[in-house]
Amino acid sequence: MDISNRGVDDESKLASRNYIRWDAEGVEKIPENEEEDIKAVAEMINAMQKAQWNHHRHAYSGTHARTQGVIKGKFIVHDDLPNHLKQSMFDHGAEYPVVCRYSSEPGDPGLDDRIPQPRGFAMKVFNVEGDFLPGGVGIPTQDIEFNSTPALDLADAKTTREIIDLRIKYGNNQPELYKRLEARPDTDLQKFRDTVRNTHLESTRQYSQTAFRFGDYVAKYCLVPSSETQKKLYEETVKPDQHDSDILSKWLQNFHREHDAEYLLQFQLCENLDDQPVEYAGKVWDPEKYPWQTVATLVVPKQDSFDWELKNFWEDQIRVDPWHGLKTLQPMGSPNRLRRIVYPASSALRRKMNARPEVNVKSMAELPGPIPAALNHFLTVN
């Protein structure tokens, strides 16, 4: 549900709802053995990276290894938000330069686009000001990442450890993998990834899946394609007998070459911890009960979405990490505590094996590749 164009009465009702504070008792509950589970996951992700290195003789991230495109744009925070949405960096109208990457979620960079799997989207928002989390001190960016499924199958640290173990053992044998997944109580959640709609990336809605602090409150977020062209392209799906193995990146290039893109960033605020769990990300927060509310717009001018230099720079030297950002947008819940350990471990191994240092880019001007003329004014901003 998008309230962008809803009436004043609806907005007033949403403003008066009882949203849960981020620091309220019971929002986060760290289970026993989580630290052990997280350590085990970090080791398994590194093992997966080493296996991919042995195959490709190049190291990639443990997930979202296949780059489908990288684009530059501007992130516009709306200046007329109601008070309950004026949180963190959204407390005033502003424009920020941004670089974004489209990806396929699995850890195999050679994954055939004709195989339905979750797709990802990541953003680095530059020129952000405020009090940063320890991992982001000195780096004026807000990193934001998304996935095309609203619920996360790696729903908490314990589940992640179990599922990654199964994928390592049986990932090349789907009948055996399914046999074991079907013995689990979360079978539908685990198998859903193989049935996602395989369509244009620029037309695919993206979700945070996990919960985050949103200023005073707790929320999830999503990114919604909003131009008419993007909406129309969602009707087309990949046809394995007609399309090439790189059809998604080809479609993406064709679209961004000919069209501007626009996305709405929306937040869904937490009101009921029993119905909207923070620790377990495998449950969708019902949008009919807890509406999505728009706070910003991402605008992407026409450009080449597959610049080789920028693509390689992102893969080999950039890390997107939700723990690189403002304290008022702090990641919350078990999956995000896992990311705080696993992401740096994955990045460190990748840099070591590829002999490429990690680069914490602080502005759009530091990125390789051309910048669309519509974004040139950002080059003068320090």
Side-chain angles (χ1 to χ4, degrees), residues 329-350:
L329 292 174
Q330 176 179 317
M332 303 186 74
S334 182
N336 281 319
R337 291 192 296 273
L338 181 146
R339 288 167 173 161
R340 185 171 55 190
I341 303 301
V342 171
Y343 280 20
S346 169
S347 178
L349 180 64
R350 192 158 78 253

Side-chain angles (χ1 to χ4, degrees), residues 3-266:
I3 65 135
S4 303
N5 299 309
R6 295 173 70 85
V8 173
D9 289 344
D10 294 303
E11 185 175 293
S12 176
K13 290 178 181 177
L14 287 168
S16 63
R17 290 169 77 151
N18 187 26
Y19 300 119
I20 293 175
R21 284 190 56 87
W22 72 277
D23 55 356
E25 183 178 355
V27 172
E28 290 190 288
K29 298 178 180 178
I30 301 177
E32 293 183 11
N33 302 320
E34 184 180 79
E35 186 176 348
E36 178 184 333
D37 289 334
I38 290 174
K39 181 180 178 181
V41 170
E43 292 172 353
M44 286 190 283
I45 292 293
N46 279 172
M48 292 167 61
Q49 290 177 280
K50 291 175 182 177
Q52 288 297 333
W53 184 91
N54 193 46
H55 181 69
H56 300 284
R57 282 301 192 258
H58 193 85
Y60 295 87
S61 59
T63 60
H64 295 275
R66 185 175 177 86
T67 299
Q68 301 289 5
V70 183
I71 52 174
K72 299 170 183 176
K74 61 180 177 180
F75 186 69
I76 306 169
V77 176
H78 300 180
D79 60 4
D80 58 350
L81 297 177
N83 287 336
H84 71 288
L85 297 180
K86 288 183 176 180
Q87 305 292 328
S88 187
M89 64 181 289
F90 306 98
D91 65 356
H92 64 283
E95 287 192 11
Y96 302 91
V98 63
V99 61
C100 312
R101 175 183 181 247
Y102 297 94
S103 64
S104 289
E105 189 213 87
D108 179 4
L111 182 73
D112 193 317
D113 287 351
R114 294 169 295 191
I115 299 173
Q117 285 290 285
R119 313 301 178 185
F121 191 84
M123 300 169 53
K124 272 191 176 292
V125 185
F126 298 111
N127 301 343
V128 176
E129 298 178 350
D131 193 8
F132 287 86
L133 293 161
V137 173
I139 311 169
T141 67
Q142 180 63 49
D143 289 5
I144 309 174
E145 59 180 8
F146 305 83
N147 190 288
S148 61
T149 60
L152 177 60
D153 47 11
L154 306 178
D156 53 28
K158 179 178 181 294
T159 303
T160 302
R161 182 178 184 178
E162 295 168 353
I163 295 302
I164 295 296
D165 182 58
L166 289 176
R167 290 178 186 173
I168 289 174
K169 291 177 178 176
Y170 307 108
N172 293 323
N173 187 338
Q174 191 177 70
E176 282 298 315
L177 177 61
Y178 269 30
K179 180 179 178 180
R180 284 156 177 82
L181 293 180
E182 287 164 0
R184 295 177 55 87
D186 61 351
T187 301
D188 291 342
L189 175 66
Q190 297 305 330
K191 292 170 64 176
F192 180 73
R193 64 188 296 109
D194 297 325
T195 63
V196 296
R197 184 178 179 83
N198 204 8
T199 186
H200 288 257
L201 298 179
E202 70 278 7
S203 302
T204 300
R205 183 185 286 237
Q206 299 280 348
Y207 302 86
S208 69
Q209 300 181 313
T210 59
F212 289 77
R213 179 180 174 183
F214 179 55
D216 292 337
Y217 306 119
V218 180
K220 291 186 179 182
Y221 53 77
C222 74
L223 196 68
V224 184
S226 59
S227 78
E228 291 306 313
T229 302
Q230 288 167 273
K231 294 176 185 178
K232 181 69 175 176
L233 288 173
Y234 186 75
E235 299 172 8
E236 184 176 18
T237 57
V238 174
K239 297 178 176 59
D241 59 341
Q242 298 180 23
H243 292 132
D244 295 332
S245 62
D246 60 347
I247 185 61
L248 294 181
S249 60
K250 286 180 177 177
W251 275 352
L252 201 59
Q253 282 182 281
N254 290 339
F255 171 80
H256 280 294
R257 186 183 301 115
E258 300 296 331
H259 304 279
D260 295 339
E262 183 176 285
Y263 297 87
L264 301 178
L265 181 71
Q266 301 178 337

Side-chain angles (χ1 to χ4, degrees), residues 356-367:
R356 296 286 188 275
E358 182 173 298
V359 177
N360 291 313
V361 179
K362 299 179 180 179
S363 71
M364 183 176 285
E366 297 176 24
L367 295 168

